[in-house]
Amino acid sequence: MPSNLRGRLTVQFVLLFVLLYFSGGAVAIFVFANQLDASLDESLQDLANQILPAVDFGSGAPSLKRWANRAEARHDKLLSTVQVFDRGGTILEEFGPDGHRHLVRGTAIVDDSAHDANPVSVRSRYIEVVEGGNKTGYLQVQVSTVQRDDALKQIVLIMVTLSPFLALAVALCGSWFSGNATRPVEETLDLLRQFVVDAAHEINTPITVIDASVQTLEETFAEQNLKDDILPIITRASGRMRALGESLIVLSRMESPEYQFSVSKLKLADMVAPVVAECEQVAKHKRQSLVIDQIPDVYLMGHSESLERMLLNLLANAVRYTDDGGTVSLHFEVEGDRLRIIVEDTGIGIPRESLAHVFERFYRVDKSRSRDMGGFGLGLSIVKSIVDRHNATISVESQVGKGSKFIVELQLTG
Ligand code: ADP
């Protein structure tokens, strides 16, 4: 599915057309086939009525032998099967092409060809033969349905052959229409994304000023040997605002289809090493064991900065949501051209009902705890948008009190 609104609408437009085209076509073919059958039945009924007066009863049973002999003498070629049955429905005579040798109204398969690869089907109609007020048998006429079947096949063939061209035409029209319809929405979305980026940049400017001022004040306090409690609080608050601004910028960039990041061939080890180094200090501080698998010698195509951020967010969360003395591990699994990066921890875990929401913006399982730990609920949204931009997948398994496992699956390159 395309990522932009216009592309998605066009694809839905085409899918809807294909569905309507084939279901409408199927209904039309069904109605047409029924009409063909009805007109065949009508002509068979007329034919039977025309032949009926020629039935003679000289031998006691109804017979069309004399009629057939006359037709043969005239060199008339019978295109329809004409059959005579006795009262009990047993066939007595058959003229013309081979037919289905039982009384039947509707479509039937010719007996001899029933087991053939291409069974011949006939349309059949019969009327009663009455002599002196008593029913003496039946007259049945049948005609091959080859022409009817060929006509239907022809229609199906035309429909199928035309479908890709029509789908293409619908795709072009759909793209044009949805382009027009979604332009204002896309423009508003672009404005909104730009607004987020601008707002985040604007937040960063005063923060830089606050940071610098705090530093100056700290130096002044230090020089004058004054005790100060408030400055670390200001520093922490400005740090949080900076982190929020940065997260918002990254997120809106990742979610903007217009944002093109440079993709290159990356060695997995080069991507993992700096991230692990960054997390080691915090893990050590919390006396956690950081277990890292041997990094496989593989390569992937991607944006190195984003992929590092993805791994950093997952590892940082694992360290953050695992109590002191716990274990955080990083595993790698290579299967064919797929790489699985597994970040596992023995931490607090995520309740089952929250699992579906952890990738949503600003979602935090335990708001106060997460905020105390410095989280905004944006880390996993960023991870998800990076994963999506790399056509990768992410899944999560977790048990409260036991730990969590985030699995990212990426495509490897040669
Ligand atoms: P935050 O910045 O709050 O950590 P995230 O988007 O990274 O935001 O994560 C969303 C929420 O998912 C977190 O608030 C936390 O409740 C939960 N979470 C994420 N990773 C883990 C983990 N490894 N263990 C337990 N909970 C986690």
Side-chain angles (χ1 to χ4, degrees):
M1 236 341 158
S3 58
N4 64 351
L5 191 56
R6 180 182 182 172
R8 280 206 302 273
L9 277 177
T10 308
V11 170
Q12 285 168 6
F13 210 54
V14 173
L15 289 179
L16 190 68
F17 161 76
V18 171
L19 187 78
L20 288 178
Y21 180 73
F22 282 106
S23 51
V27 172
I29 289 171
F30 178 75
V31 171
F32 184 56
N34 274 343
Q35 274 179 357
L36 283 179
D37 285 344
S39 84
L40 267 183
D41 289 348
E42 212 174 298
S43 359
L44 286 173
Q45 185 78 33
D46 288 349
L47 184 62
N49 286 333
Q50 275 172 28
I51 298 173
L52 187 63
V55 177
D56 79 89
F57 303 89
S59 59
S63 170
L64 273 174
K65 274 204 185 97
R66 274 204 251 157
W67 168 82
N69 288 341
R70 282 202 301 276
E72 205 178 313
R74 285 199 306 272
H75 299 293
D76 284 353
K77 189 162 164 34
L78 260 180
L79 297 174
S80 314
T81 308
V82 179
Q83 298 163 332
V84 181
F85 291 80
D86 68 11
R87 244 185 322 177
T90 308
I91 189 158
L92 301 174
E93 295 171 351
E94 183 181 67
F95 309 97
D98 287 343
H100 180 78
R101 295 168 69 84
H102 300 275
L103 285 173
V104 63
R105 266 208 171 92
T107 304
I109 303 292
V110 174
D111 308 84
D112 289 352
S113 65
H115 303 294
D116 286 352
N118 289 318
V120 174
S121 86
V122 286
R123 195 79 193 162
S124 175
R125 204 85 189 156
Y126 64 84
I127 54 172
E128 286 181 2
V129 178
V130 179
E131 162 70 351
N134 295 324
K135 183 169 79 179
T136 55
Y138 301 92
L139 171 65
Q140 177 162 275
V141 279
Q142 295 178 340
V143 68
S144 160
T145 58
V146 168
Q147 278 182 339
R148 161 201 180 275
D149 296 344
D150 280 352
L152 291 178
K153 272 186 209 152
Q154 203 71 29
I155 295 176
V156 173
L157 194 72
I158 292 172
M159 269 189 69
V160 173
T161 318
L162 279 183
S163 60
F165 300 104
L166 290 176
L168 185 70
V170 169
L172 292 176
C173 293
S175 168
W176 187 75
F177 275 121
S178 44
N180 277 348
T182 58
R183 192 164 302 125
V185 182
E186 300 270 13
E187 280 168 6
T188 314
L189 278 178
D190 281 348
L191 275 178
L192 209 61
R193 282 191 202 107
Q194 195 51 48
F195 168 77
V196 172
V197 174
D198 291 346
H201 275 303
E202 289 306 320
I203 294 173
N204 278 343
T205 317
I207 292 168
T208 314
V209 176
I210 295 173
D211 278 350
S213 314
V214 167
Q215 215 176 338
T216 317
L217 277 175
E218 265 174 348
E219 284 161 15
T220 317
F221 274 101
E223 274 166 22
Q224 296 176 7
N225 248 344
L226 293 172
K227 193 171 150 14
D228 141 59
D229 291 333
I230 191 76
L231 293 182
I233 298 172
I234 300 174
T235 311
R236 209 170 144 243
S238 73
R240 272 181 63 75
M241 280 168 81
R242 184 187 298 284
L244 174 62
E246 276 170 15
S247 295
L248 285 174
I249 291 175
V250 173
L251 195 59
S252 66
R253 272 196 191 139
M254 282 298 147
E255 291 186 349
S256 163
E258 274 74 45
Y259 177 65
Q260 299 291 334
F261 50 39
S262 53
V263 173
S264 56
K265 189 170 166 179
L266 310 168
K267 191 173 160 73
L268 180 64
D270 294 345
M271 180 191 113
V272 173
V275 178
V276 171
E278 205 170 326
C279 290
E280 250 163 4
Q281 286 311 312
V282 193
K284 205 167 157 187
H285 184 69
K286 291 183 83 177
R287 284 177 284 104
Q288 292 172 344
S289 323
L290 195 56
V291 182
I292 314 290
D293 268 5
Q294 164 113 30
I295 306 173
D297 188 18
V298 289
Y299 291 82
L300 32 107
M301 291 300 287
H303 183 237
S304 66
E305 205 185 301
S306 310
L307 288 174
E308 279 179 27
R309 182 180 284 270
M310 174 197 81
L311 190 59
L312 180 66
N313 285 6
L314 290 174
L315 268 181
N317 272 354
V319 170
R320 186 186 298 168
Y321 296 107
T322 297
D323 290 334
D324 291 8
T327 304
V328 170
S329 24
L330 182 59
H331 307 291
F332 304 97
E333 285 175 11
V334 178
E335 222 178 270
D337 62 349
R338 308 290 295 172
L339 165 72
R340 265 195 295 276
I341 302 178
I342 303 164
V343 180
E344 201 171 358
D345 63 60
T346 57
I348 59 171
I350 302 167
R352 186 191 290 265
E353 64 277 11
S354 297
L355 282 176
H357 302 289
V358 287
F359 296 105
E360 289 168 11
R361 289 175 189 199
F362 295 108
Y363 183 84
R364 285 165 291 195
V365 176
D366 179 344
K367 284 203 171 27
S368 59
R369 181 169 180 168
S370 172
R371 200 179 294 116
D372 289 347
M373 291 175 165
F376 298 107
L378 287 176
L380 287 181
S381 320
I382 292 175
V383 168
K384 179 77 172 74
S385 56
I386 294 172
V387 162
D388 288 346
R389 288 293 296 254
H390 284 83
N391 293 324
T393 58
I394 183 162
S395 58
V396 53
E397 296 163 14
S398 189
Q399 250 183 304
V400 173
K402 292 225 165 119
S404 309
K405 193 172 172 182
F406 286 82
I407 306 157
V408 178
E409 195 168 322
L410 292 142
Q411 175 89 29
L412 289 173
T413 187

